Each structure stands twice: as C-alpha cells, then as structure tokens.
Amino acid sequence: MPPKVVAVAAGEAHTVALTGDGEVFSWGRGMFGRLGTGREDDELVPTAVAPVVSGRPRPRLVAVTAGAYHSLALDAFNILTLSFYGGLKLSSVKAGGMMSFAIDSLGALWMWGNCPQPTDAGEFCIASTSIPLPVWDFHGHSVVKVACGNEHVVAAVSAGETYTGGDLVCYSWGNNNHGQLGLGNKESRSRPVLISAFREESSWEVYEIACGAWHTAVLTNKKTFDQDLESRCWTFGLGDNGQLGHGTTATICSPQPVDGLPTGSFLISLDCGLFHTTVVTSDGEVWCWGMERGLGLCPDASFSGVDAGDALHPIRVQSPETNGFKFLGPVQVACGAAHTILVAGEGYRMWAWGRGRSGVLGRGQLADSYIACVVMWPPLDENFRQIHEDRAEASTSRASDHTSIELEQKLSAVTQELQFLKSKMTLMERYANILHISIFRKPLDERTLPRSLQESPVFDIRKEFENILDAADTDELHRLEMFYRSMLSGVKDKLLKRRVQQMVHECIISLSAGRQPPQGQ
C-alpha cells in the first residue's frame, strides 16, 4: 500500500506533502533550495526530502507548510527543523509570501521573515527579521490557526484564555490596500484588530482561514443548535479576477458569504492561491473560482471561446475517477500561486491542476492542465524499488515452476484481500468522518481519538463515552444533546408514520371487504 498523505502545502511553484509515517516529499521548482532535496534542481515528480539534523536520529516530521519560496516542517519533538532557539515547544507552523509563523504549545504566536510590524511611531511597515518574534497582542488568549498572504495576516484566536472548541474569533493585521483585513476600510494595521463579523457575539463560529496574495477566505458554521448543519465560506479583499466568488470583480472590505456553494454538505477544506480560491465539501465536491476559470493559471493560459475568462462564481471541478463531480475520500486542498493540489482517496491519492511549469503538478511533465490529473503517487523511487524486489523474488523462484505458481496464487489472493480491506476501511473512515461532522460540526481528527482505541484491541464504548462526556465542554455537550434529540425525534416520526400507514392499510382492507373499520383507531 502506498504511503498515506496526511498533509499537503503549496508555494509559488512548488508542493510539499507529509505522509503518516513522518516522511516529506516535494516537487516543482527547486530554486533557492525550497524543495529540501539538497540541490536547486526542479523535480517533476514527488521526491523524498532528507532532513539533516546532527546529533540525533532522523526526525519524524508531523507538519509541513510552504511560503512563496521556502518550506517549513515540524518534527515529532515539536521543535522547528530550521534554526530556532531555546527548545521552544511548537504545535504548528504556517508560511505564506516571504514570512513564517509558529504556534507554541501555550498558544503563543511567533513570526519571522518579512512581517508586518509597527514602527517606533506606531505606523505600519513591513520589516525583515531572521529571529522569531512573539506577537504579544494575544497574551491571555490561545492562537489556534494563522494564515498569511503577501503582506497581511489573519489569526483565529480563542475568545477566552484557553481554546475549548467552538470559541474562536478572528483578528487581522498588515497591509490593507485592498480591504483584505476585512475591517470595513483600506487602512493598514500594524497590530492585530478584531474582525467584527467574526467576534464572539457573532452567530457564526470560525473553523478555517486562508489567505491569497491580496484576499482572504474564512470557513464558518452556525453556532445555534436548532437548525441543520450549515457551513459557509466568506471572502474579502481584492476581487479583480473573481477570486472572491461574489459574481463581480469588485474589491470588498468586509466579509461577505460566497453564494453558489452547496448547502447540504460540510465544507472541510479551504485554500487560496495568488488569484484563486478553492473549497472542498465532505461528500467530495471541489469548487474553484478566480483567475482563468478558477485554475489560477495567470493571463497566458490558452483557454478559448466560452471557456475563457475568470470565474466570478464557484465552479465545480470534474472528477475523472467518477465521471462526475465527486472525488472519493476527500482530505485536503492546497493552492499554490497558479496550481491546485487535492489529497483524496483517504490520503492515498493526489490530484493536481493548473500551471505545470517546473513540474509543480507532480506528473512528470511541464504542461499546464485544465482538468484534474493524477499526481505520480506513490513516488517513482518506491515503484522502481518494488519492481526490482519483485523481479529478484521471481528469479529465485524459477527453480520450481510449481512453487512459482503457488506463490503467484497466494500473492493474487493477498492482493485481492488487501484491496477489499482498503475499500472497507475507506468506507468506514468516510462514515466516521460524516458522523463526527454531524455531531461536532468539524472533521474527524485522528489525534483526538481515545487513547485506548489507538493502543488496545479492546474498546469499552460505554466507558469511553463517559470519558468523552467528562472531557467535553458545554458547547460540545450542547451539540451532543441536539444530535441525539434530532435522532430521537426522527425515530419517533418514522414510527408514527409507519403506524399511520398501517392504520390506513387496515381501513382499506376493511372497506374493500365491506366491513366497518376497527373502532378506536
């Protein structure tokens, strides 16, 4: 079975992918060493990254991110693999443009690179720093997510001192010449400012954020529990190429919802390219909008006729594997400057489309692709290694034709069994994710699974459910209550309908036989 991709990130013209066993692969433009392969050559297919860490074993990486011309990775010890000081424990990293961010285990935010900072007079400026600097404005709160464009930053921060789930508010700061901060004007800010549309009193709670060069996108869901599950995408900032998805090329300074997205499914992933935006739904639909039909190809794309031009409204991406518009087992989407990568197949398959220069699509070619194409995954090196091992094994078994036939039959049976188990596992993962979204309104994170389920073959569901209730905050308990109330109400309604149908059926039979219907029913 190929390595499972658990995270992907895209830069200006390169892509990085993280596997479940802690390996990182990269492809695309190699200039400035952004691929981490030890050279500056372009890579047309996924190529293994070899971290050099002196004094200790090869690290197991747990997170990746990409800026325009650089990449970051986080190892299992929660220490940044680049130069960092003092054993600071980190929980996540993020990059964009020419700046980088890290969130430590206490929820504090650190930044370095070309970052928005105040001058001595308190005015906004972009200053370069090679040393991570703390963002003191969030002291007393926990930063949970951060995203950055060319010169602006958006952060999702806990309303209280600690993050308890479902209590995030949004702050923004930096260059605001296109309204990309979502503050209702174009005044740049040197320090974080609360976005009023996503304050604590808002009826929408934030769960995902992304930044393009000069625009911003946010995913939210309804805070109320008396309605069906509803998630929504909001955008603001530069709209010249339709990257806001509002049907115009106007610049918007305040968050506005994107119309035209499906309302019956949950939006599980979001990212922004230079001038395009992409979201993925829980049932596998991918929607893009912005430059050149949402592909972000930039002006030299060779579209023609009715297909030419920017997409001002969301457009569904066609899936080659289903001959429809649903990709099987969607996980995450990542947008580079002019390309898009989708992780699907529950992490075992990747699709790419957009500009193909430098091999950034990972399919061994330089050509652009206007439709989703398969990324060469697993990596070619592993394919060649497997072929070599298979040939070596076959050559040693030629001494006995009977043994060879038996071996082939066994291998065939094992392969079929693996495919069967994989299909079952994919189905169960999808079911568990949909169920988790229905209850908690956010995708399932394997890291939050009960420890006993991960470490022991025995799982006491009653005990674990009690542990979940004990550990749940008030918001999660409300969601559980509404979920089970809705389930119970649906069962009662179904039983009532069947009883009514039975009574009607009995009456029809009685009338057709010339008898009076039973009394008291």
Side-chain angles (χ1 to χ4, degrees):
M1 184 177 291
K4 181 177 181 178
V5 177
V6 296
V8 68
E12 177 261 346
H14 75 291
T15 309
V16 292
L18 172 70
T19 66
D21 56 3
E23 298 287 334
V24 173
F25 295 82
S26 62
W27 60 97
R29 186 169 297 166
M31 186 183 296
F32 308 125
R34 72 190 81 178
L35 297 184
T37 57
R39 54 188 183 275
E40 293 193 38
D41 297 338
D42 294 349
E43 299 291 349
L44 308 188
V45 296
T47 304
V49 174
V52 178
V53 182
S54 59
R56 59 187 177 93
R58 177 188 178 95
R60 179 179 182 274
L61 302 175
V62 295
V64 292
T65 186
Y69 314 113
H70 69 293
S71 305
L72 299 177
L74 192 65
D75 69 20
F77 295 98
N78 291 337
I79 300 172
L80 199 63
T81 55
L82 300 181
S83 297
F84 212 72
Y85 53 77
L88 184 65
K89 298 294 184 180
L90 302 180
S91 60
S92 65
V93 288
K94 187 68 176 180
M98 297 179 69
M99 51 182 149
S100 302
F101 290 84
I103 301 174
D104 67 28
S105 57
L106 299 178
L109 182 65
W110 301 77
M111 64 180 182
W112 63 99
N114 292 345
C115 307
Q117 297 182 42
T119 64
D120 293 337
E123 300 294 328
F124 160 77
C125 73
I126 296 293
S128 178
T129 174
S130 59
I131 300 175
L133 301 176
V135 181
W136 294 113
D137 302 76
F138 300 125
H139 180 69
H141 300 270
S142 295
V143 179
V144 177
K145 293 178 180 289
V146 65
C148 48
N150 277 11
E151 296 181 352
H152 77 289
V153 186
V154 177
V157 184
S158 66
E161 184 173 350
T162 58
Y163 175 57
T164 59
D167 62 343
L168 295 180
V169 295
C170 248
Y171 287 83
S172 61
W173 70 102
N175 192 326
N176 195 31
N177 56 353
H178 299 289
Q180 60 265 41
L181 300 186
L183 303 176
N185 55 49
K186 295 183 179 180
E187 179 185 350
S188 297
R189 305 297 204 280
S190 61
R191 310 188 78 89
V193 177
L194 179 67
I195 302 177
S196 60
F198 307 122
R199 63 187 185 278
E200 189 174 6
E201 296 78 16
S202 170
S203 59
W204 297 91
E205 64 182 37
V206 174
Y207 65 91
E208 193 60 76
I209 53 178
C211 293
W214 311 107
H215 76 289
T216 306
V218 178
L219 294 185
T220 66
N221 59 50
K222 273 284 190 181
K223 289 182 179 179
T224 55
F225 306 110
D226 56 349
Q227 300 182 17
D228 293 335
L229 181 67
E230 182 180 359
S231 60
R232 182 168 290 184
C233 179
W234 307 72
T235 56
F236 43 95
L238 181 69
D240 284 1
N241 299 103
Q243 59 265 48
L244 302 185
H246 298 151
T248 72
T249 57
T251 290
I252 304 295
C253 297
S254 297
Q256 290 189 13
V258 178
D259 295 326
L261 294 174
T263 57
S265 56
F266 197 81
L267 303 177
I268 63 171
S269 185
L270 161 77
D271 206 7
C272 299
L274 200 63
F275 301 113
H276 72 290
T277 308
T278 306
V279 297
V280 183
T281 69
S282 56
D283 57 1
E285 290 186 349
V286 179
W287 295 78
C288 298
W289 58 94
M291 179 171 280
E292 292 297 344
R293 310 299 290 172
L295 293 173
L297 283 171
C298 297
D300 57 351
S302 58
F303 277 112
S304 62
V306 296
D307 288 331
D310 300 333
L312 307 185
H313 295 282
I315 296 176
R316 277 191 302 180
V317 177
Q318 190 163 8
S319 170
E321 64 178 338
T322 62
N323 291 322
F325 295 97
K326 292 185 185 297
F327 290 85
L328 302 179
V331 176
Q332 182 197 349
V333 69
C335 295
H339 76 288
T340 303
I341 302 288
L342 173 70
V343 180
E346 307 298 343
Y348 294 103
R349 199 167 200 184
M350 286 188 286
W351 301 86
W353 56 91
R355 188 169 63 190
R357 297 174 189 173
S358 302
V360 70
L361 301 185
R363 58 176 183 154
Q365 302 178 20
L366 303 177
D368 298 343
S369 179
Y370 305 147
I371 61 174
C373 60
V374 176
V375 176
M376 286 188 179
W377 187 260
L380 285 177
D381 288 347
E382 295 197 9
N383 283 339
F384 290 150
R385 189 184 306 117
Q386 186 64 47
I387 292 172
H388 178 74
E389 292 174 355
D390 291 345
R391 286 177 177 173
E393 184 176 343
S395 64
T396 58
S397 65
R398 288 194 189 103
S400 172
D401 293 339
H402 180 71
T403 303
S404 178
I405 292 174
E406 283 187 349
L407 180 60
E408 289 180 2
Q409 290 175 343
K410 289 180 180 179
L411 286 175
S412 177
V414 169
T415 300
Q416 292 179 8
E417 181 68 16
L418 284 175
Q419 290 296 330
F420 174 76
L421 292 175
K422 181 180 176 182
S423 65
K424 289 292 185 184
M425 183 179 68
T426 299
L427 179 64
M428 294 308 297
E429 284 185 347
R430 191 174 308 155
Y431 175 76
N433 194 43
I434 292 174
L435 185 61
H436 194 273
I437 289 172
S438 299
I439 299 174
F440 298 108
R441 301 192 178 187
K442 56 185 177 182
L444 176 65
D445 187 342
E446 295 179 6
R447 294 170 294 182
T448 63
L449 291 175
R451 185 174 296 276
S452 63
L453 184 60
Q454 302 180 40
E455 300 177 352
S456 170
V458 179
F459 183 67
D460 188 339
I461 189 169
R462 184 186 297 275
K463 180 179 178 181
E464 288 299 342
F465 189 70
E466 291 177 356
N467 292 338
I468 290 174
L469 294 180
D470 291 338
D473 55 38
T474 303
D475 187 59
E476 290 173 332
L477 289 175
H478 277 307
R479 288 178 176 173
L480 283 170
E481 180 186 22
M482 290 307 303
F483 176 77
Y484 287 113
R485 277 187 180 179
S486 177
M487 292 279 286
L488 181 60
S489 175
V491 171
K492 288 182 177 179
D493 287 346
K494 184 62 68 175
L495 287 173
L496 180 59
K497 288 179 181 178
R498 289 188 178 179
R499 179 57 182 156
V500 171
Q501 290 172 352
Q502 182 181 359
M503 292 169 58
V504 171
H505 181 67
E506 291 175 354
C507 288
I508 292 174
I509 292 176
S510 297
L511 291 173
S512 63
R515 299 193 303 267
Q516 293 294 323
Q519 297 297 319
Q521 296 192 34

